Amino acid sequence: MTQILKSIFGRKTRSIALFIEIVIVTIIGWIIIEPVAVNTTTALIPAGYDYDRLVMLTFGFLSPTSTEYDKSAENMEKRQPYENLLRMIRQRPGVEKATFSFYQSFEMNGRSSNGHQADSTYMEKGIEDLSFSMTCIEFIPNTDFFSTFGIKDVNGNDFQEPEMSESNYIISQCVAKALFPDSTAIGKEVYTSMPWRPYAITAAGVTADVPYNKGDGRIGTYYIARDWEGWSRPAGIMVRLGEGVNPRAFIDKLTADLSQYRSGNIYLTHPVYMSDQRDEIFAPKQRELTQKWMIVGFFLINVLLGVAGTFYVQCKTRIPDAGVMRAFGAPRRKVIWSIVGEAIVTTILGWLIGSIIYLIYLKYQGFPMETDAAPIIRYLRPVWHDTKLGRYSIIGGIILLLLLMTSALGAWLPARKVGRVPIVDSLRDE
């Protein structure tokens, strides 16, 4: 360490230039790596259901002007053609389960959310803002909705659908904890009665937390039962494939046979693998996240080239020192690691100063913290970036690790050249 410090102070001009460079890239690193790390963590939150075994089909409708339109089907009960198609698809080889899906469901374009207030006792725990939202998911009772998707209960077991009515919701775990912190949620009022709704909404069951869409992060959800008398109609059918069934091959065969799946003037169309649907819905966020990762990669490459360039320029001045060390019996490895150690010490000092400068700046900005969830949800489902200590210590550690890796590599590449110089040549230069 003494030799490393002497080497740093012995080349003050170049050492200061490298030190300033590390300080600058540390500050830039804080700016670009923090949102990348937070957004990547949000994108990696588990789906909570078995999307890799699901295939989604959409209902199509024949126009009255179509030559294939069946006039007699107008007399069919509204639900009959839908139920016929569900029964037909359940009988197809490779299908384990199937259920109706709505536009307000997982990875769909429709969306509806309700605001709510958490229990007031959370204010005693330091939560000043109790408001949060929960997203609606529609389903038809007794159609294997939860078992088709593979949704779990709070204990990780398959969720058992309870008896449902218009006055019941099934809520997710974080909603249940927010509303009923000291008791079970089942049977309790989620919403009180209102003039426009003369009955209260009670909780009939509690599921594990499931994001509505990929990239949504930690949100609350509630499941509402629909019937055939209401205004809402299913958007299609969700199919759960059996174990070992290849979804791509299943979709190819089903596409060839789609003409068979028609009842009255309704038919099935557009089979889509749920994994692909998730990627499609997430695509805009994925492009943004990819761009940020490209900036991080560009940033790290520039650090590598900058450090390597600085030490490459110093190669000739290092040759005499290396010759003296080798003449006194120092192995080539020690010569190399003395140069690498100099880069590491400079990097740690530069990172420390750069981090202090950036954190002082954040303090004056009020420590803005990008997040994916309401305060009460963050309290109930904490992750590393919810607190200042957790966020800034981990982000700082990531930046330091990346800088150490790139600076060590950047110093090691030219240091190998210095270490290979013959002792006679290096002493002649001396």
Side-chain angles (χ1 to χ4, degrees):
M1 178 58 72
T2 302
Q3 181 182 346
I4 291 174
L5 293 176
K6 286 181 178 180
S7 180
I8 291 174
F9 288 110
R11 298 173 176 82
K12 292 182 180 179
T13 302
R14 291 191 176 95
S15 296
I16 291 174
L18 180 60
F19 176 78
I20 294 174
E21 179 184 352
I22 297 297
V23 169
I24 293 173
V25 297
T26 297
I27 296 172
I28 296 174
W30 274 101
I31 295 172
I32 65 176
I33 290 178
E34 180 180 354
V36 170
V38 172
N39 293 338
T40 300
T41 300
T42 302
L44 293 177
I45 291 177
Y49 64 94
D50 301 330
Y51 65 87
D52 54 341
R53 293 179 59 183
L54 299 179
V55 172
M56 180 174 60
L57 295 109
T58 305
F59 287 127
F61 303 89
L62 290 173
S63 170
T65 59
S66 172
T67 57
E68 299 182 17
Y69 186 79
D70 184 1
K71 187 81 173 171
S72 63
E74 295 178 353
N75 298 322
M76 296 175 66
E77 188 180 354
K78 288 182 179 179
R79 63 193 294 175
Q80 185 177 342
Y82 294 96
E83 292 181 339
N84 288 344
L85 290 172
L86 180 61
R87 182 175 61 256
M88 292 166 63
I89 203 69
R90 282 174 171 173
Q91 294 171 352
R92 186 175 181 86
V95 174
E96 181 179 303
K97 290 181 180 293
T99 189
F100 293 116
S101 63
F102 287 78
Y103 285 112
Q104 291 186 163
S105 188
F106 302 112
E107 310 300 338
M108 298 291 282
N109 293 320
R111 188 163 191 153
S112 175
S113 298
N114 286 338
H116 217 313
Q117 292 286 318
D119 189 270
S120 59
T121 57
Y122 283 108
M123 297 188 70
E124 300 173 3
K125 300 177 181 180
I127 311 297
E128 297 180 358
D129 184 3
L130 299 178
S131 61
F132 69 98
S133 65
M134 50 186 190
T135 302
C136 175
I137 299 171
E138 299 177 313
F139 74 102
I140 295 180
N142 303 313
T143 59
D144 297 332
F145 176 85
F146 295 95
S147 58
T148 298
F149 277 90
I151 296 172
K152 307 298 182 182
D153 63 18
V154 295
N155 297 314
N157 302 316
D158 294 336
F159 181 76
Q160 302 300 316
E161 181 182 326
E163 290 295 323
M164 296 293 294
S165 69
E166 63 179 359
S167 63
N168 293 141
Y169 283 171
I170 294 172
I171 57 179
S172 62
Q173 186 177 12
C174 65
V175 174
K177 288 182 178 179
L179 300 180
F180 315 106
D182 300 321
S183 63
T184 179
I186 298 176
K188 302 293 179 57
E189 286 189 1
V190 178
Y191 287 106
T192 59
S193 59
M194 304 292 287
W196 50 270
R197 188 190 63 233
Y199 54 86
I201 301 294
T202 59
V206 180
T207 71
D209 291 315
V210 181
Y212 189 74
N213 289 331
K214 182 179 179 181
D216 275 357
R218 297 161 291 170
I219 63 170
T221 54
Y222 70 99
Y223 303 80
I224 183 171
R226 295 299 187 190
D227 57 37
W228 295 100
E229 303 302 321
W231 57 269
S232 186
R233 291 287 182 272
I237 291 176
M238 190 67 67
V239 176
R240 180 183 180 88
L241 303 180
E243 289 282 356
V245 177
N246 187 308
R248 307 290 183 188
F250 177 86
I251 290 174
D252 290 341
K253 292 179 181 178
L254 178 58
T255 301
D257 298 336
L258 276 180
S259 59
Q260 303 174 14
Y261 294 92
R262 173 181 168 182
S263 179
N265 294 309
I266 302 177
Y267 58 92
L268 290 177
T269 184
H270 296 107
V272 177
Y273 187 29
M274 195 60 171
S275 181
D276 295 340
Q277 178 74 359
R278 279 170 52 82
D279 292 340
E280 181 179 344
I281 295 295
F282 185 66
K285 294 181 180 179
Q286 181 63 63
R287 284 193 294 270
E288 181 181 349
L289 188 58
T290 300
Q291 290 172 356
K292 291 179 179 179
W293 271 109
M294 291 175 66
I295 294 173
V296 171
F298 178 78
F299 156 76
L300 293 176
I301 290 173
N302 276 274
V303 173
L304 173 63
L305 294 177
V307 174
T310 300
F311 280 93
Y312 184 81
V313 170
Q314 297 182 27
C315 277
K316 281 194 173 181
T317 63
R318 300 300 179 107
I319 290 174
D321 295 341
V324 173
M325 292 176 65
R326 295 288 304 279
F328 281 92
R332 186 166 63 90
R333 180 180 299 176
K334 185 176 181 180
V335 174
I336 294 174
W337 283 109
S338 66
I339 297 176
V340 173
E342 182 180 331
I344 289 175
V345 171
T346 304
T347 298
I348 292 175
L349 294 175
W351 167 83
L352 182 61
I353 299 301
S355 296
I356 291 173
I357 293 173
Y358 186 74
L359 291 175
I360 291 173
Y361 164 77
L362 286 180
K363 181 180 179 181
Y364 283 104
Q365 294 296 314
F367 289 103
M369 294 176 62
E370 180 182 353
T371 185
D372 64 322
I376 184 63
I377 303 298
R378 296 201 300 269
Y379 177 81
L380 296 172
R381 298 180 59 190
V383 295
W384 63 269
H385 56 74
D386 285 340
T387 63
K388 295 175 185 177
L389 178 61
R391 175 181 294 229
Y392 297 124
S393 60
I394 290 179
I395 295 296
I398 292 173
I399 294 171
L400 177 60
L401 180 62
L402 294 175
L403 288 176
L404 288 176
M405 290 170 57
T406 51
S407 61
L409 180 60
W412 178 73
L413 292 173
R416 294 172 64 207
K417 180 178 179 181
V418 175
R420 289 197 187 103
V421 174
I423 298 176
V424 174
D425 294 342
S426 60
L427 291 178
R428 183 185 302 118
D429 293 336
E430 180 67 15

